[in-house]
Amino acid sequence: MNTIKITAGIVGPKDTVMLISDIAKEYSDKLDYLPFIYKSSDETIDIIETNQHLVDIWIFSGVTPYVTAKKSTSKQPFFYLELNGSSLTNELIKIKYKDQRSFNRSSIDLLENNDVYETYHDLDFTYENIYLYEYPGFTDTQEIISFHEDLFNQKKVDVCITCLSFVYEHLKAKGVPVYRVTPLRSNIRQTLKSALQQWETLHFKQSQIAILLVKVEESDKDTNHHTISYDLHRLNLELQSAVLNFSESISGSFVTLGVGVFLIFSTRGSLNETGRQVGDLLERLALITELPANVGIGYGETALIAEEHARIALNHAQSYDSSCAFLVKDGGVIEGPLKEQVSISFSYRTENKEISDKLKQCGVTITTFNKILSVQKRAGNNSITAAMLAEWLKMTPRNARRILNGLTEQEIAEIIGEEAPTSKGRPRKIYRVNSDFE
C-alpha cells in the first residue's frame, strides 16, 4: 500500500536548515521537505504566509521562529527543535578542551535554567558567575545582544553562549568571544519522528466520518396520513435550503429523513470549528421558523458508528434545551452544548461496577453522574452546589438537591461546607463529588 507523503517546510538559519534537511532524507519514504532560509527570524511570518499552500507542516530551527510563526494566519501544525542540556554540553566541551577557555564566567540566553544548572553540575563545574537571559515568551534580538555585550564590556563574563545565529554573528563581528548552541542530530531525529506521528494521528482524526442529525421539533405537527399542507411544504423547502447551504460550507452532502429532519454527511476535518458553524446553522433555522431545533453530531471510523453517535448526541441536545447542539466522539465522550461559549464534556459509559451499583441505589444514571463530574470540574474548585447543577443540567433546584443528597447517602459525594444565600433563606450546602470513581 502506498503511503501518503507529507511536505514539511523547514525554517531557520542556513546551517541549521541544511542540517535538518540532511537528516530529513532518512525519512524520504514518508516525508518531503522544502528549505526556507532566513537571515533574521523576523522573516518567518512572510515565509509562512507566502508558502503555506506548498507544505503540510512547519518545522522551525528553534523556539524564536516558532513563537513568531504563531502570529501568522497559518493553521498548520508547527514543530520546533528544543535546545537542552545535551546541546549545551557540546559547546562547553568545545570551549574547555578545544579552545582552552574557561566558561565559569559566562552569559547564556534562551536555555531553561534547570538545563543550564544541571549541565554544569553534571560536568562538576561551578555556576556561581553564570548570567542567564530568561526567555519571556518572545525574543527581542537587540535586547539579547545588549544583554551579552553589557556583561562582557563590564568584564563580568569571559565568554557568551547564544542559541541565536543572528546574535552569534553580531557578537562575533564585535570581537566578543561567543559560542552558539545548536541542535544535536538525535534531537532533530526525535523532532521529525514526533512530527510524523502527530501528523498521522491528526490526519486519521480529520478523515473520520462526521454525521450531523438535524431535527426541527414539531415541524410535522400539522401532517396527517393523507395530505401535507402547502405551508408545510414551503417551510420544509426553506429548511432544506438552509441545510443545503450549511452542507456546502463543510463540503458535505445531506438527505431528508422527513419534514424538518435531515442527515448531513461530512468529515471531522471539515468540522474543526464545529461549535461556531453549527451555531450559525441553528440561527438560520431560528430565522425560518419559531419551532425549536437541535443538532446531534457524531464522529466515527464508519458511517454506522458516526450515525449512532449522532443519534445519542441529538438525544442529549433535545433533553438539554431548544436550539443547541451536542457532539459524541471517540470513546463515547459527549461535548456540549456546542453553541455555548462554555461547554461541559462527559461520558455515557462506565466500566466501574461499584459506582454503577451505587448509582442505581440512588436513582442516578451514569450519564447524569458524569455530567455532574464535568460541571464540578468546570467550576474549578472541586466542589458543586445544587444551584450550579440545576443551571447546567436544566433541572429544578429541588431535583438537583435530591440527586446530590442521594449521592451523599451512597458515599459518592460529601458535604464540605455551606455558602450564604443571595436572598433570605437557609445557607446552601456545598458538595464534593468523588471523582475517583471516574
Side-chain angles (χ1 to χ4, degrees):
M1 184 176 68
N2 292 329
T3 302
I4 298 176
K5 296 175 69 173
I6 66 172
T7 301
I10 302 174
V11 182
K14 183 176 180 179
D15 57 350
T16 306
V17 168
M18 298 311 293
L19 179 59
I20 298 172
S21 299
D22 184 53
I23 295 175
K25 294 174 183 176
E26 299 174 13
Y27 305 89
S28 59
D29 59 326
K30 297 180 179 180
L31 179 70
D32 287 328
Y33 63 88
L34 293 174
F36 297 99
I37 297 170
Y38 62 56
K39 292 184 178 179
S40 169
S41 61
D42 295 337
E43 302 169 35
T44 301
I45 292 179
D46 185 57
I47 289 173
I48 294 173
E49 299 288 3
T50 305
N51 300 283
Q52 58 182 309
H53 65 288
L54 299 176
V55 306
D56 300 304
I57 64 174
W58 292 96
I59 297 176
F60 302 99
S61 61
V63 68
T64 298
Y66 170 80
V67 172
T68 304
K70 289 291 187 179
K71 302 174 185 177
S72 73
T73 62
S74 174
K75 301 299 182 184
Q76 296 160 307
F78 292 169
F79 303 89
Y80 68 94
L81 303 182
E82 295 188 52
L83 298 175
N84 52 31
S86 298
S87 302
L88 175 61
T89 298
N90 273 14
E91 288 307 303
L92 295 182
I93 291 175
K94 179 180 177 182
I95 297 170
K96 177 75 174 179
Y97 299 105
K98 182 180 178 181
D99 295 350
Q100 302 293 312
R101 281 178 169 162
S102 170
F103 50 73
N104 290 333
R105 291 167 19 102
S106 62
S107 57
I108 304 174
D109 64 47
L110 301 190
L111 292 175
E112 294 286 341
N113 290 7
N114 287 343
D115 282 335
V116 174
Y117 294 137
E118 288 174 4
T119 298
Y120 270 73
H121 179 269
D122 291 344
L123 294 174
D124 200 24
F125 297 134
T126 60
Y127 47 80
E128 285 78 8
N129 296 313
I130 303 301
Y131 296 85
L132 302 180
Y133 180 90
E134 295 187 13
Y135 186 62
F138 61 93
T139 304
D140 185 328
T141 51
Q142 291 301 324
E143 183 178 312
I144 295 176
I145 288 172
S146 298
F147 163 76
H148 289 293
E149 276 189 337
D150 291 346
L151 289 170
F152 181 75
N153 291 335
Q154 295 169 17
K155 301 188 184 304
K156 292 183 177 180
V157 300
D158 299 318
V159 296
C160 303
I161 302 173
T162 181
C163 297
L164 301 175
S165 61
F166 184 83
V167 174
Y168 172 79
E169 295 296 340
H170 182 92
L171 294 177
K172 185 178 179 183
K174 290 287 190 71
V176 176
V178 59
Y179 293 83
R180 180 172 158 223
V181 179
T182 56
L184 302 176
R185 288 178 175 269
S186 58
N187 184 19
I188 296 173
R189 288 190 180 92
Q190 184 58 44
T191 301
L192 292 176
K193 287 179 182 178
S194 176
L196 286 168
Q197 289 171 354
Q198 290 188 44
W199 168 260
E200 289 171 358
T201 300
L202 176 64
H203 185 69
F204 169 75
K205 285 186 176 181
Q206 298 295 77
S207 62
Q208 277 188 312
I209 295 170
I211 289 183
L212 294 84
L213 189 55
V214 183
K215 186 171 184 180
V216 179
E217 305 294 338
E218 303 179 0
S219 56
D220 57 351
K221 63 181 179 179
D222 294 329
T223 62
N224 57 50
H225 295 296
H226 305 291
T227 183
I228 298 179
S229 70
Y230 289 116
D231 289 341
L232 196 57
H233 271 305
R234 292 190 184 96
L235 173 62
N236 200 46
L237 287 173
E238 288 187 61
L239 294 173
Q240 282 190 39
S241 178
V243 172
L244 173 62
N245 291 335
F246 175 77
S247 300
E248 183 181 20
S249 73
I250 60 172
S251 302
S253 62
F254 80 96
V255 294
T256 303
L257 301 181
V259 178
V261 184
F262 308 93
L263 200 65
I264 302 174
F265 299 86
S266 186
T267 62
R268 185 169 180 170
S270 298
L271 287 169
N272 56 1
E273 295 180 1
T274 301
R276 181 184 62 79
Q277 292 177 340
V278 173
D280 292 344
L281 173 60
L282 289 169
E283 288 176 6
R284 291 193 191 102
L285 296 178
L287 292 174
I288 296 170
T289 175
E290 295 181 359
L291 298 173
N294 293 100
V295 179
I297 306 168
Y299 294 153
E301 296 177 35
T302 67
L304 182 63
I305 294 174
E307 184 175 347
E308 178 186 351
H309 286 171
R311 294 189 183 280
I312 293 171
L314 180 62
N315 287 337
H316 282 282
Q318 290 171 318
S319 63
Y320 181 82
D321 199 2
S322 60
S323 192
C324 71
F326 271 68
L327 162 69
V328 175
K329 53 185 182 180
D330 305 329
V333 174
I334 303 172
E335 291 184 2
L338 297 181
K339 189 181 178 183
E340 305 292 337
Q341 290 184 342
V342 179
S343 65
I344 59 175
S345 177
F346 56 93
S347 173
Y348 63 93
R349 291 190 287 233
T350 182
E351 305 294 333
N352 192 312
K353 189 176 186 304
E354 179 187 359
I355 186 63
S356 182
D357 291 341
K358 287 190 173 186
L359 290 175
K360 287 179 182 178
Q361 291 293 323
C362 58
V364 176
T365 66
I366 293 170
T367 299
T368 298
F369 175 68
N370 284 322
K371 286 181 181 179
I372 294 170
L373 288 176
S374 186
V375 173
Q376 178 175 270
K377 183 177 181 182
R378 173 65 65 184
N381 55 6
N382 201 27
S383 65
I384 190 171
T385 65
M388 292 166 53
L389 185 60
E391 180 182 357
W392 271 102
L393 302 192
K394 304 299 180 185
M395 61 176 61
T396 64
R398 181 178 180 179
N399 192 31
R401 285 194 296 271
R402 181 191 64 79
I403 291 174
L404 290 172
N405 287 333
L407 294 176
T408 302
E409 290 174 4
Q410 292 297 321
E411 298 182 344
I412 299 174
E414 60 180 323
I415 299 172
I416 61 172
E418 293 182 340
E419 65 178 6
T422 55
S423 58
K424 292 182 179 179
R426 296 178 179 178
R428 294 183 296 194
K429 295 177 181 177
I430 302 173
Y431 298 82
R432 176 173 295 147
V433 182
N434 190 350
S435 60
D436 293 339
F437 287 110
E438 259 186 304

